[in-house]
Amino acid sequence: MIVCSCNVLSDDDIRAAVAESDDAVRHAKQVYGCLGCSAECGRCARTIKTIIDEALGPCAKSCCSGCPHSNTVAANDEPAEFALAAC
């Protein structure tokens, strides 16, 4: 199913970006970066977040330390959620 009509991204594209990333993909902005595009209208952001949460499974709600999906704080005290994932 097409989730983002601006960038023609499917739910399978989003799941693949989450699964193939070495970093913790937890936000729509990171998915866009992994797929080489950027948000246009933003209507798909909630759906992308839902797909990310489903793809991460139980880790989406709460990660233990050591989990590869944990949301840690970067060295400069900026939350990791604002850093783009390198895919």
Side-chain angles (χ1 to χ4, degrees), residues 9-69:
L9 300 177
S10 71
D11 58 325
D12 290 334
D13 295 331
I14 296 163
R15 285 186 183 90
V18 172
E20 295 171 4
S21 176
D22 292 333
D23 295 325
V25 175
R26 302 189 59 82
H27 301 280
K29 183 176 180 179
Q30 294 170 304
V31 170
Y32 293 126
C34 287
L35 296 173
C37 58
S38 61
E40 298 295 327
C41 73
R43 290 183 187 161
C44 59
R46 279 190 191 165
T47 304
I48 290 174
K49 178 62 175 146
T50 300
I51 294 169
I52 291 169
D53 290 347
E54 289 172 359
L56 292 176
C59 290
K61 299 270 186 234
S62 63
C63 282
C64 58
S65 64
C67 173
H69 303 117

